[in-house]
Amino acid sequence: MRILVIKLGALGDFAQAFGPFAAIRAHHPGARITLLTTRPYAPLARMAPWFDEVWEDGRPSWTDIPAVLRLTRRLRAARFDRVYDLQTSARSSRYRLMVGIRAEWSGIARGASHPHANPNRDFIHTVERQRDQLEMAGIRDFPEPDLSWLDADIARFGLPERFALVVPGASPGRPAKRWPADRFGALADGFGIPAVVIGGPVEAPLAATILAAAPSAVNLTGKTGFADIAALARRAAFCVGNDTGPTHLIAACGCPTLALFGEDSDPALCAPRGPRATFLRHVPLAGLETAHVAAELARLT
């Protein structure tokens, strides 16, 4: 049996799909499973035990006709028997015609053989929504995903035995998702253990602000891959961060995680999930006081 799973991004959504990925593999142990994703998440997917093949050309621009035709030919030639569309977007639903209508389809595309026919699907958390979708497609067993494959040697960072993680960034186009960096700095200065600041290279100025307030902090922005983040999560005392991909990945790896939300996203729909994950919401996020976050961290840890 040939199965296609569609999950294009982003990182937080990808981390929240670990459970569905594991459930699909458990339900189809002998199938050849291909993941259609995008280039940023292909390396993470290739480390995982759930896929036989990973394609990273899943989001060509609709104006790039040659790229769209290449993807169409590739999807059609693979002759998939079933598709699990975990992206469930207007884009991914169009791929049903590109795959070919003979394939069984789990998702929201018109004519799907296994439609996610829950009228409330847009009002439930991503994790519950995807589980509900898979249940309607006949999957009943949802094993806890084993993430032991997602690890790395972080000795090169020379970190102390005890440290906390701070994730001060968020999508550059959504500044309302960012708690002010000076508040993160004031918070980190009171941890009692060094803070390790992570994020992409563009978060370096945020890290500089935090280090100015908390001189014992360590700046790892731009220096960590997915496996490094997971390894840091397993060794950290706790994490505090905005609603952004690394925070979700850290929570999924079991680190006690406090995610901060403002008006730009709804934790009821997308809060990080993990064995010791929680969230704090304040509207506007910039008005959230450091003492309030510190008190919530104390309860968490």
Side-chain angles (χ1 to χ4, degrees):
M1 188 175 190
R2 290 157 295 192
I3 291 174
L4 177 68
V5 178
I6 302 174
K7 194 63 186 174
L8 306 178
L11 179 57
D13 296 329
F14 204 90
Q16 293 192 341
F18 286 164
F21 292 158
I24 291 168
R25 171 50 77 189
H27 190 72
H28 301 282
R32 180 170 182 80
I33 302 180
T34 299
L35 175 72
L36 179 64
T37 188
T38 51
R39 184 168 297 174
Y41 313 110
L44 176 59
R46 291 190 176 109
M47 287 187 280
W50 305 308
F51 311 111
D52 299 289
E53 193 173 7
V54 175
W55 297 355
E56 58 184 61
D57 52 350
R59 191 180 273 154
S61 169
W62 293 121
T63 61
D64 187 349
I65 302 304
V68 172
L69 291 176
R70 283 195 299 271
L71 179 59
T72 300
R73 286 193 294 267
R74 192 178 194 186
L75 289 169
R76 189 63 61 94
R79 297 184 64 80
F80 292 110
D81 299 295
R82 177 175 284 202
V83 178
Y84 292 99
D85 176 13
L86 299 181
Q87 193 71 22
T88 56
S89 65
R91 167 184 282 276
S92 60
S93 293
R94 294 190 190 105
Y95 291 177
R96 181 169 180 261
L97 295 177
M98 297 163 72
V99 169
I101 59 174
R102 63 169 290 276
E104 296 179 340
W105 190 281
S106 168
I108 60 171
R110 181 177 299 177
S113 60
H114 297 78
H116 187 205
N118 184 339
N120 296 315
R121 68 180 308 278
D122 292 332
F123 305 100
I124 55 179
H125 192 281
T126 298
V127 170
E128 277 74 46
R129 186 184 75 238
Q130 292 183 343
R131 179 168 181 147
D132 189 52
Q133 175 186 340
L134 294 184
E135 286 178 340
M136 289 187 177
I139 295 179
R140 298 286 184 267
D141 183 26
F142 292 86
E144 192 67 28
D146 177 8
L147 301 183
S148 59
W149 52 272
L150 188 56
D151 205 357
D153 182 357
I154 56 173
R156 69 187 188 279
F157 297 137
L159 298 177
E161 183 175 347
R162 279 181 54 77
F163 60 88
L165 290 175
V166 172
V167 188
S171 172
R174 301 176 71 181
K177 294 181 73 172
R178 291 186 176 187
W179 195 43
D182 59 344
R183 302 269 178 94
F184 272 116
L187 182 72
D189 191 43
F191 282 167
I193 56 176
V196 174
V197 186
I198 65 169
V202 296
E203 269 86 60
L206 302 178
T209 299
I210 293 169
L211 265 66
S216 66
V218 179
N219 179 11
L220 292 187
T221 56
K223 299 177 182 178
T224 55
F226 297 126
D228 295 322
I229 293 172
L232 289 166
R234 292 194 177 92
R235 293 156 181 80
F238 58 86
C239 169
V240 58
N242 295 319
D243 173 27
T244 187
T247 304
H248 287 261
L249 185 58
I250 289 164
C253 291
C255 181
T257 301
L258 174 63
L260 306 180
F261 283 77
E263 67 272 31
D264 213 39
S265 52
D266 186 351
L269 303 179
C270 62
R273 289 294 180 89
R276 300 187 65 188
T278 188
F279 65 86
L280 187 59
R281 192 183 198 193
H282 189 281
V283 178
L285 182 55
L288 178 61
E289 295 294 335
T290 303
H292 193 175
V293 179
E296 194 64 30
L297 275 175
R299 281 191 285 272
L300 175 65
T301 57

